[in-house]
Amino acid sequence: MIILSTKIGAQTILNDQKYINTSIIIITNNTSFGYGFSIINYNDLIYIYYTELKSSIATINGLIFNGTEEMNAPLPNFNDLGESSPFLVKLNNGSLMMLWDGIPMGNYSLNNLTTILQASILNNNVWGPVINLTNNGITLSYYSDGNYIYLVYEPTLSLTYDNTIIEELTLSGNVIKSLNIPKVLGIKDANNGYVIVQFVNGTYGLINMNNGDIEFLNSTNAGFVDNSLYQFYNGVLSINGNQNLTFNLPIYENAFPILWNNGYIIIAWRPGLLSVFYWNGTELQPIINYTAQFTIVPKATILNNDLYLAWFGLNNISNGQGSIYMSITTLPYQESRYNTNTNIMNNTSNISTSSIYITSNGSLFGSIPIWVIILIVGVVVFIILY
C-alpha cells in the first residue's frame, strides 16, 4: 500500500528564505526493478519513459511535462511480444532517440529466449520506424553518448554472465568494436569510446573500447559529467576535471553530479533519504530532502531553473514491484563562482523535508547486494517465459 496523494507540494527553507516550490508526482505504481526508466529534457519539454507490467507483459509508456502540466507521450509502433527498459539520448544532430529491449514474436523457453536492442527517432513529436539494432542473443544493457551505442549482451541466456560481450555500434547498428569480457552486469555510462561497466561482483571498470584495456575503479558509483570522470566511494564524491573536486557526504551511500550554472547539482541518497545539493563554486548548499522507507535508482534532468528528479522505489523484494516518483524543484539561481578549494564539506542544516510514506510487505535494506539484483532479474525472466 502506498500512502501518497497524486501531487504533494513542499517548500524548502534555506538561509531562512522560502523560495523553492516542489511538486511530487507518482509516475507509475506498476513497474519492476531491473526494467529501468529514462528522463530527459528536449525541445523545452521533459520526457520520461518507463516500463509497466500489463497482464505480466512488459510494455513501455511515457509522459511529457511542460512545467507541471502533464500529458501522454507518443509511443513508437512497437512490434514485439513485449518491450522494456527505455533509454533516451539526444543525438549530436539534435534528434531524440529511444533505445529499448524487445522480445520478438515467437515461442520461447530458457534455451531459445531472444531479446533484441531496438531504436526509434522522434520527428515532429512522432516516433519513426522501429530499427532492429541486433537480431539475436540476450540484450543485457545499453547506453549511448549521442555518437555511438554501447551494448552488453550474451549469445544465449545463462544468468551467470560468463559469456558477456561488449560492443560499440553505429547509430544504425553496425558493429565497430566487439570485446569478450565476462561477468559484466551492465553499463553505467559511456563517453567517446570509454565505457563504465559494473561487474557481477559489484566492482566498476573503465573500458577503453579502442584497445580493450580495463581500469578497475575503487568506487560504488561512477560516470561522466561534462567529459569528466566522477566516482563515489565511502561517502566521498570526487570529480576529476579541470579542477579535482572532492565532496564529503558521509551519511550517504551513493551520489552523482549534474552540471548546472557553472557549478553542480548533486543528488545523494541512502535507503530512506534522497537529497539535493548545489555547489556554486565555493560552497555546497543543501536544497531539499525526500524521505521514504526505501528509495533507489534516482535519475534527473534540468530544464531552465527547474530540477526534475525521478526515482524508483522498491515496494516488494520478492517480485521486484515498485513505483516511480518525480519531483519538480525550482533551483536557487545565483552567480556561480569557482575557487581552488578541492575539499568541500557538506552542510545539511536549515533544510526542510518532504516525506513519502511507503508500506511494504518486504523488510527494509541498507543496500541491495548483487545477488538480490540477479535474483530479481531471474524473476523478470520467469515472468517473460511464463
Side-chain angles (χ1 to χ4, degrees):
M1 181 179 178
I2 299 177
I3 307 174
L4 180 66
S5 62
T6 302
K7 295 187 178 182
I8 295 178
Q11 285 190 324
T12 295
I13 302 175
L14 182 60
N15 299 329
D16 297 324
Q17 294 183 3
K18 294 184 179 180
Y19 64 93
I20 296 176
N21 295 319
T22 299
S23 298
I24 300 177
I25 301 163
I26 297 179
I27 300 298
T28 179
N29 285 326
N30 187 28
T31 189
S32 182
F33 181 79
Y35 281 133
F37 65 94
S38 190
I39 184 171
I40 198 170
N41 71 77
Y42 182 72
N43 283 351
D44 292 326
L45 297 171
I46 298 298
Y47 290 76
I48 180 168
Y49 284 86
Y50 48 92
T51 307
E52 290 187 311
L53 296 176
K54 297 180 180 179
S55 301
S56 298
I57 300 297
T59 60
I60 290 175
N61 212 337
L63 294 171
I64 296 175
F65 288 87
N66 184 2
T68 58
E69 182 182 353
E70 174 184 324
M71 64 199 84
N72 291 327
L75 297 174
N77 292 319
F78 298 121
N79 53 10
D80 303 294
L81 285 176
E83 303 83 22
S84 65
S85 304
F87 176 85
L88 299 169
V89 59
K90 283 186 281 192
L91 306 182
N92 281 348
N93 64 9
S95 300
L96 181 65
M97 172 181 273
M98 179 162 62
L99 304 172
W100 66 89
D101 192 8
I103 304 174
M105 294 293 182
N107 298 314
Y108 297 102
S109 67
L110 285 175
N111 296 324
N112 69 344
L113 179 63
T114 298
T115 65
I116 61 175
L117 180 61
Q118 297 182 303
S120 182
I121 296 177
L122 190 67
N123 184 19
N124 294 325
N125 206 39
V126 177
W127 290 103
V130 173
I131 305 168
N132 290 344
L133 299 174
T134 63
N135 295 296
N136 49 56
I138 301 294
T139 299
L140 299 176
S141 182
Y142 37 89
Y143 197 92
S144 177
D145 58 5
N147 292 312
Y148 301 100
I149 296 168
Y150 304 91
L151 166 70
V152 177
Y153 79 99
E154 283 191 305
T156 58
L157 179 66
S158 70
L159 296 181
T160 61
Y161 303 89
D162 289 333
N163 303 307
T164 50
I165 299 170
I166 300 179
E167 288 187 342
E168 183 178 18
L169 310 174
T170 66
L171 299 179
S172 60
N174 295 324
V175 178
I176 300 173
K177 192 75 174 181
S178 183
L179 301 173
N180 293 288
I181 302 177
K183 299 295 185 180
V184 175
L185 184 65
I187 297 176
K188 176 61 175 62
D189 208 339
N191 183 48
N192 196 27
Y194 289 88
V195 182
I196 297 174
V197 302
Q198 185 181 21
F199 292 90
V200 172
N201 63 4
T203 60
Y204 282 82
L206 177 63
I207 298 176
N208 185 333
M209 292 299 298
N210 293 322
N211 56 27
D213 288 348
I214 304 175
E215 177 186 350
F216 289 96
L217 305 175
N218 186 26
S219 60
T220 53
N221 191 17
F224 296 104
V225 57
D226 193 33
N227 295 320
S228 298
L229 176 69
Y230 73 83
Q231 298 182 70
F232 184 88
Y233 180 71
N234 197 26
V236 177
L237 175 67
S238 60
I239 303 174
N240 301 322
N242 294 331
Q243 283 187 310
N244 292 324
L245 301 173
T246 300
F247 302 92
N248 293 315
L249 302 164
I251 68 172
Y252 297 94
E253 292 188 358
N254 221 325
F256 66 84
I258 304 172
L259 188 67
W260 182 69
N261 189 28
N262 295 318
Y264 294 102
I265 295 297
I266 293 175
I267 311 299
W269 70 98
R270 69 176 191 225
L273 179 63
L274 176 62
S275 301
V276 179
F277 299 90
Y278 170 45
W279 181 67
N280 64 5
T282 59
E283 61 180 338
L284 191 64
Q285 301 176 339
I287 302 300
I288 196 166
N289 286 344
Y290 300 97
T291 59
Q293 285 189 338
F294 204 86
T295 58
I296 54 174
V297 197
K299 298 181 181 181
T301 189
I302 298 173
L303 179 60
N304 300 321
N305 293 331
D306 291 328
L307 172 69
Y308 292 77
L309 173 62
W311 66 93
F312 171 89
L314 184 64
N315 299 331
N316 190 330
I317 187 65
S318 63
N319 62 10
Q321 183 273 332
S323 302
I324 297 174
Y325 307 94
M326 188 181 75
S327 69
I328 306 173
T329 301
T330 300
L331 297 172
Y333 187 86
Q334 57 185 332
E335 184 179 353
S336 181
R337 51 199 185 276
Y338 278 87
N339 68 13
T340 57
N341 182 10
T342 60
N343 187 21
I344 301 163
M345 296 298 295
N346 68 306
N347 175 13
T348 56
S349 62
N350 297 327
I351 185 169
S352 68
T353 300
S354 176
S355 298
I356 297 174
Y357 302 95
I358 302 176
T359 60
S360 172
N361 293 329
S363 60
L364 304 181
F365 302 89
S367 61
I368 298 182
I370 294 297
W371 70 265
V372 174
I373 296 175
I374 296 175
L375 175 63
I376 294 176
V377 171
V379 171
V380 171
V381 171
F382 180 85
I383 291 173
I384 292 174
L385 295 177
Y386 301 98

